């Protein structure tokens, strides 16, 4: 079921998306990087991660990964990785297909490229169209690319575990335009932290079968259903909304509306949610800060009350300062009510 179609049927379409110009620019840059059998890409990789192997001399293998369906392409990719590792040379896999189990169901992933080194090491390559200015790029975009690459590393590790002599590198190659040109440059990103976080998150996901078992009998997400029935079906699945969803999920606007209606603290962001402990609603947070609810011995409640006291103190000090400042609204009001000439006599 396409989430975009479902969101439109619910009346909350996601009015965002990457422009066609951005797609064309990204595709053109990737084609430039991979031209001539990936010669430029392999040169950049050898400069940053070559190790003790000899530089690729234009004879790197580029296996054909075409097959029927994602499952067939994933199997063909796994075979190509094993063959390239056994051959002991450089190999470039363009848009391989990887499989990863997510909540009990297979998810198919397609990295930009995977390079097999002569020593059996596999390196994920991510090609992005955002610029790398003076050898550094936007940290938020680099972080997003690292999280994406970490998922590919986890999927590759499943294949490497059954491939003799194979090892998946925890450092990935990020290729971007240099400064504001269309010339490629690259940097190495260590994704060990992102890989560990993603692995923990995957182990905590609820299996699809368990979610389905908890739904009422006859629940369907068919967009052709009446809006009331479709809304009730979606409401049967608890949302896990966070502001980050707006950049990636077509149902984010629908889940945000539900989250706001319930006053959930998740609408403020995952980091805020993590700081608030057992307080799950905005109303509960405000009541705890005001001293109306909550256990004073709770560190979160104590911190909220301290923050509220500091805010009140700061506002009181600011108001007192304004009252003493010449020309302030408070002074002007006082002068307006003073006897004629009193202000001049001060």
């Amino acid at each position: 079921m396409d989430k975009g179609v479902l969101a439109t049927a619910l009346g909350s379409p996601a009015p965002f998306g990457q422009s066609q110009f951005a797609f064309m620019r990204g595709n053109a840059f990737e084609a430039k990087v991979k031209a001539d059998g990936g010669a430029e890409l392999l040169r950049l990789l050898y400069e940053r991660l070559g190790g003790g192997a000899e530089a690729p001399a234009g004879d790197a293998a580029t296996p054909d990964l075409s097959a029927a369906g994602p499952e067939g392409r994933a199997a063909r990719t796994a075979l190509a990785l094993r063959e390239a590792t056994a051959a002991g040379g450089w190999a470039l896999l363009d848009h391989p297909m990887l499989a990863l189990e997510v909540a009990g169901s297979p998810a198919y992933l397609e990295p930009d490229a995977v390079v097999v080194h002569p020593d059996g090491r596999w390196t994920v390559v991510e090609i992005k169209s955002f610029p790398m200015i003076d050898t550094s790029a936007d940290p938020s975009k680099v972080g997003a690319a690292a999280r994406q690459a970490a998922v590919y590393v986890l999927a590759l590790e499943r294949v490497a575990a059954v491939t003799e002599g194979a090892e998946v590198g925890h450092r990935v190659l990020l290729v971007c335009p240099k400064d504001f040109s269309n010339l490629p440059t690259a940097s190495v990103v260590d994704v060990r932290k992102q890989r560990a976080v993603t692995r923990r998150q995957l182990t905590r996901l609820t299996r699809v079968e368990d979610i389905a078992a908890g739904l009422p009998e006859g629940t369907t997400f068919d967009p052709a259903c009446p809006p009331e029935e479709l809304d009730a079906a979606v409401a049967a699945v608890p949302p896990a909304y966070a502001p980050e969803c707006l950049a990636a999920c077509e149902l984010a606007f629908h889940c945000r509306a539900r989250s706001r209606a319930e006053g959930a603290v998740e609408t403020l962001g995952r980091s805020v949610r993590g700081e608030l402990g057992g307080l799950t609603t905005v109303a509960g947070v405000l009541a705890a800060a005001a001293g109306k609810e909550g256990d004073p011995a709770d560190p979160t409640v104590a911190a909220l009350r301290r923050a509220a006291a500091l805010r009140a103190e700061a506002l009181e000090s600011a108001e007192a300062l304004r009252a003493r400042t010449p020309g302030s609204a408070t002074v002007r009001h006082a002068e307006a009510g003073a006897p004629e000439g009193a202000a001049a006599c001060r």
Side-chain angles (χ1 to χ4, degrees):
M1 178 68 235
D2 184 88
K3 289 190 289 185
V5 175
L6 185 58
T8 301
L10 288 167
S12 302
F16 64 87
Q18 194 174 22
S19 69
Q20 288 301 312
F21 175 76
F23 276 121
M24 292 172 61
R25 182 183 61 190
N27 290 338
F29 178 68
E30 182 176 336
K32 180 181 180 68
V33 173
K34 294 179 177 178
D36 299 325
E40 181 66 10
L41 188 157
L42 290 170
R43 183 189 68 80
L44 290 169
L45 184 136
Y46 183 76
E47 286 181 356
R48 272 66 171 183
L49 292 167
E54 293 187 5
D59 56 351
T62 54
D64 180 14
L65 304 178
S66 58
E71 187 175 355
R73 288 186 58 201
R76 180 69 189 90
T77 295
L79 178 61
L81 285 167
R82 287 193 289 269
E83 290 176 344
T85 302
W90 290 97
L92 171 63
L93 279 66
D94 185 9
H95 284 288
M97 183 67 70
L98 307 174
L100 181 66
E101 185 176 301
V102 178
S105 299
Y108 293 100
L109 315 167
E110 188 176 359
D112 292 326
V114 172
V115 174
V116 178
H117 298 239
D119 61 0
R121 184 160 35 106
W122 301 348
T123 297
V124 172
V125 178
E126 272 298 286
I127 303 172
K128 299 297 184 184
S129 59
F130 56 81
M132 195 173 293
I133 302 172
D134 195 20
T135 71
S136 63
D138 184 335
S140 63
K141 293 180 179 179
V142 173
R147 290 189 292 272
Q148 182 179 354
V151 180
Y152 300 148
V153 169
L154 284 173
L156 277 173
E157 287 178 342
R158 298 177 69 246
V159 183
V162 293
T163 303
E164 185 178 355
E167 177 190 4
V168 182
H170 59 258
R171 296 192 298 168
V172 305
L173 188 74
L174 177 62
V175 181
C176 299
K178 183 178 181 181
D179 299 325
F180 297 100
S181 70
N182 200 37
L183 298 175
T185 187
S187 67
V188 175
V189 181
D190 193 316
V191 299
R192 280 179 292 185
K193 180 180 178 181
Q194 293 84 354
R195 169 180 163 276
V197 170
T198 303
R199 174 170 284 175
R200 287 197 301 270
Q201 290 174 337
L202 288 174
T203 59
R204 295 172 182 173
L205 290 178
T206 306
R207 295 175 64 87
V208 174
E209 294 84 350
D210 297 335
I211 295 175
L215 296 177
E217 187 73 24
T219 297
T220 177
F221 299 99
D222 186 352
C225 292
E228 300 80 7
E229 183 179 339
L230 188 60
D231 189 66
V234 174
V237 182
Y241 171 77
E244 295 87 345
C245 298
L246 293 172
C249 181
E250 292 88 346
L251 277 172
F253 288 89
H254 177 77
C255 294
R256 183 179 66 175
R258 287 180 57 190
S259 186
R260 285 177 172 176
E262 296 170 0
V265 296
E266 284 81 3
T267 57
L268 304 176
R270 289 192 175 97
S271 59
V272 176
R273 174 69 189 89
E275 295 288 340
L276 292 174
L279 300 173
T280 59
T281 65
V282 175
V285 171
L286 295 176
K292 298 177 181 178
E293 294 180 10
D295 182 3
D298 186 334
T300 301
V301 174
L304 286 169
R305 292 182 182 178
R306 176 60 177 161
L310 291 173
R311 178 179 181 275
E313 182 180 334
L315 291 175
E316 184 179 346
S317 299
E319 184 62 32
L321 181 61
R322 282 197 298 268
R324 294 194 301 269
T325 303
S328 69
T330 304
V331 172
R332 289 198 299 271
H333 291 162
E335 291 176 351
E340 185 176 350
C345 294
R346 286 193 290 116

